[in-house]
């Protein structure tokens, strides 16, 4: 491990990244290095390792240090490894995490696999030895003072240089990105044509001009979905009705059964959105995806329904929970307690305040409850009229 | 003498013309769909190329996101419409905003007992940033507003009310009309408002002012301080600054009310 030097991990000009792999731990010989798990990067010139949590912690070693390397198969409770045997470090090597080591080899432990590909690429690079034909600019510290002074200069100047390089790199990335974005915008003219084209097609479908097959309509809708173009052929009952949404609706049907039971048969759509997306972690649903999927419950004969209250609040409810039952039980609760506010009702049933209010309002609409509306709040009483 | 243009012959001719038109109509639409799918492929590969180089930028740079969104608006596409769209799948734009949506909902829900479902964009911004932790990507107010616009689709009353140069974010379906909004804007400077102030600034009659204030009280958006020196003050928790407030749990709140 004393062959490694601290690095900013930025690639030099003429240096290319070959492969990178997460979940790699370094070993000093047979001992775990005093570093955490990180990302191993192989370039045409160097082997680089960066701590996954602390990006500042980054080390690198020229590939010319490598004598040979071999695979070490995984065992029980042990990840697969690549053992790399090394030349001694040169005298002018930049400081690194280890001053010296009793081992002439290191290991890369692949905790998240990837060793096969890494090994293959390493073999390629060590065969081609591209670093010999395309030298990169080495940042050599210039210092003519005494040894101690030189080390200090490397320290501070090194850090400053790191920051400057990082800033330049970031700036370069950003301006390049904006340039490319404007180039994309030019190509975007085609996209605009496409949008107009899609409108024309949609109108034809609506007006039933020509015999567009069901299949083609579905295909067309999925194109619109991919591009994020609003579909003017939306049928209210089915939403946007693509296969994607049908699948989603079925998944939701499975996923929401238990949570709905726990919450008295009803959940606000925003609650469903959070629940589902938290569970997914990535490839999240958009709010529109969720609404469009829920709109398909009825046509797919799933035991859930999307329902919109007068206030505009949208909920998913279990079909088994009938309206009459809910209202009857609301009336029971209110009668028992004499009167209830939405907050009290919510606490009683373990529902959210929003939904318990909707339930009380519904019961009122059906004539079973009446309200006492004051600045102290909205309170419901059984309707004795 | 033959009669042309009328009768069976004419009808047949008309039918033939209609059939031809229909056929042409079919071909046209089918052609168009084929054409569209070709253009889609081209666009997809352009986007892929862009994404391969700049996917990170979208996630890291809020200014870049603004430019990007504006580009999409000029085309007439909504990159946030679906998680299944190109934009989400290739650029990952979707996940960024949809996750933000979840965080916004959670913050609003957590504070609803205190502010009735009304919160300043600033406070929402601060709390979302806090919730995301040190190493998360930066989030701008523009990002929040776009995420909130999307949340509207799900009912539940998400909306934004312009107040004092910024916005109040509403997360409950409370009915707020122009009168209510104007009073909120008036209250923004000090965090509270009185009937006299409303009468003086807005030139309303007492009844109108009281009606609006009562509604805000009922909806839990305003609290009444009847013990204030002078006349009663109507405070809006949504507008409380750090200096004048302390976070209170629902349990504590319940214990405090007489």
């Amino acid at each position: 491990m004393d062959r490694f030097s601290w690095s900013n991990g930025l690639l030099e000009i003429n240096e290319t990244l070959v492969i990178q792999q997460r979940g790699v731990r370094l070993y000093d010989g047979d001992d775990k290095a005093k570093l955490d798990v990180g990302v191993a990067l192989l370039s045409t010139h160097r082997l680089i390792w960066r701590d996954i949590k602390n990006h500042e912690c980054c080390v690198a070693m020229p590939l010319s240090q490598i004598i040979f390397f071999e695979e070490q198969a995984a065992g029980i409770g042990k990840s697969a490894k690549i053992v790399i045997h090394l030349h001694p470090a040169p005298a002018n090597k930049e400081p690194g995490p280890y001053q010296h080591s009793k081992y002439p080899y290191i290991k890369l432990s692949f905790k998240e696999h990837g060793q096969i590909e890494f090994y293959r690429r390493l073999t390629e690079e060590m065969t081609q030895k591209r670093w010999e034909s395309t030298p990169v600019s080495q940042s050599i510290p210039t210092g003519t003072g005494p040894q101690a002074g030189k080390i200090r200069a490397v320290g501070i100047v090194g850090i400053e240089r790191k920051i400057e390089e990082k800033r330049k790199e970031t700036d370069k990335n950003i301006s390049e990105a904006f340039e490319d974005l404007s180039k994309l915008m030019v190509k975007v003219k085609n996209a605009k044509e496409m949008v107009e084209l899609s409108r024309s097609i949609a109108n034809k479908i609506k007006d039933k001009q020509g015999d567009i097959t069901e299949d083609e309509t579905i295909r067309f809708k999925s194109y619109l979905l991919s591009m994020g173009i609003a579909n003017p052929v939306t049928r209210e009952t089915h939403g946007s009705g693509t296969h994607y949404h049908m699948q989603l609706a079925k998944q939701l049907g499975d996923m929401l059964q238990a949570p709905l039971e726990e919450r008295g048969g009803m959940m606000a759509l925003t609650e469903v959105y959070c629940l589902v997306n938290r569970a997914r972690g990535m490839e999240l649903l958009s709010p529109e995806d969720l609404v469009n999927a829920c709109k398909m419950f009825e046509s797919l004969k799933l035991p859930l329904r999307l329902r919109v209250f007068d206030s505009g609040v949208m909920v998913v409810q279990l079909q088994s929970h009938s309206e009459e039952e809910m209202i009857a039980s609301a009336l029971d609760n209110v009668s028992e307690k004499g009167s209830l506010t939405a907050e009290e009702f919510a606490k009683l049933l373990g529902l959210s305040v929003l939904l318990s209010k909707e339930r009380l309002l519904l019961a009122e609409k059906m004539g079973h409850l009446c309200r006492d509306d004051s600045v102290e709040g909205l309170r419901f009483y059984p309707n004795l009229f | 003498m033959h009669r042309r243009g009328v009768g069976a012959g004419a009808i047949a001719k008309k039918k033939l013309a209609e059939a031809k038109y229909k056929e042409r109509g079919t071909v046209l639409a089918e052609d168009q769909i084929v054409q569209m799918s070709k253009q889609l492929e081209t666009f997809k590969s352009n986007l892929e190329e862009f994404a391969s180089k700049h996917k990170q930028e979208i996630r890291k740079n809020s200014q870049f996101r603004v430019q990007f969104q504006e580009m999409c608006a000029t085309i007439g596409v909504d990159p946030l419409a679906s998680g299944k769209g190109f934009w989400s799948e290739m650029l990952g734009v979707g996940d960024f905003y949809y996750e933000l949506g979840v965080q916004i909902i959670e913050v609003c829900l957590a504070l609803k007992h205190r502010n009735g479902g009304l919160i300043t964009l600033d406070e929402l911004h601060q709390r979302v940033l806090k919730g995301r932790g040190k190493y998360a990507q930066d989030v701008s107010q523009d990002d929040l507003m776009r995420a909130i616009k999307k949340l509207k689709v799900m009912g539940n009353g998400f909306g934004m009310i312009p107040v004092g140069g910024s916005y109040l974010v509403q997360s409950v379906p409370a009915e707020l009309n122009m009168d209510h909004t104007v009073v909120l804007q008036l209250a923004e400077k000090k965090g509270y408002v009185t009937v006299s102030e409303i009468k003086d600034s807005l030139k309303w009659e007492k009844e109108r002012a009281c009606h609006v204030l009562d509604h805000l009280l009922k909806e839990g958006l305003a609290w009444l301080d009847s013990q204030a020196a002078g006349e009663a003050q109507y405070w809006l928790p949504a507008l409380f600054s750090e200096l004048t407030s302390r976070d209170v749990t629902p349990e504590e709140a319940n214990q405090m009310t007489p």
Side-chain angles (χ1 to χ4, degrees), chain A residues 37-49:
Chain A
V37 179
V39 185
L41 301 102
L42 175 67
S43 79
T44 44
H45 292 64
R46 295 178 288 170
L47 177 65
I48 304 172
W49 180 94

Side-chain angles (χ1 to χ4, degrees), chain A residues 180 209 226 228 278 286 288-289, chain B residues 21 54 78 81-83 86 150:
Chain A
D180 283 348
Q209 273 178 314
S226 310
R278 282 271 178 229
S286 76
E288 268 147 288
D289 286 336
Chain B
Y21 175 72
H54 303 298
D78 179 5
S82 171
F86 285 156
K150 280 289 135 194

Side-chain angles (χ1 to χ4, degrees), chain A residues 252 255-256 259-260 263 266-279 285 290 294 297 304 306 314-317, chain B residues 102 105 154:
Chain A
L252 289 170
M255 190 179 186
L256 296 175
L260 279 171
R263 290 164 177 73
M266 198 190 277
M267 275 171 78
L269 205 57
T270 43
E271 223 189 312
V272 173
Y273 176 78
C274 290
L275 190 73
V276 170
N277 275 339
R278 282 271 178 229
L285 298 183
L290 185 59
C294 290
F297 284 150
L304 304 173
L306 177 68
M314 293 169 95
V315 300
V316 174
Q317 71 183 49
Chain B
V102 171
I105 293 173
M154 296 192 288

Side-chain angles (χ1 to χ4, degrees), chain A residues 365-384:
Chain A
K365 194 169 164 187
M366 301 313 244
H368 298 285
L369 297 177
C370 58
R371 66 169 62 191
D372 175 23
D373 208 352
S374 69
V375 290
E376 285 173 18
L378 184 58
R379 188 168 279 280
F380 289 89
Y381 292 80
N383 188 1
L384 302 170

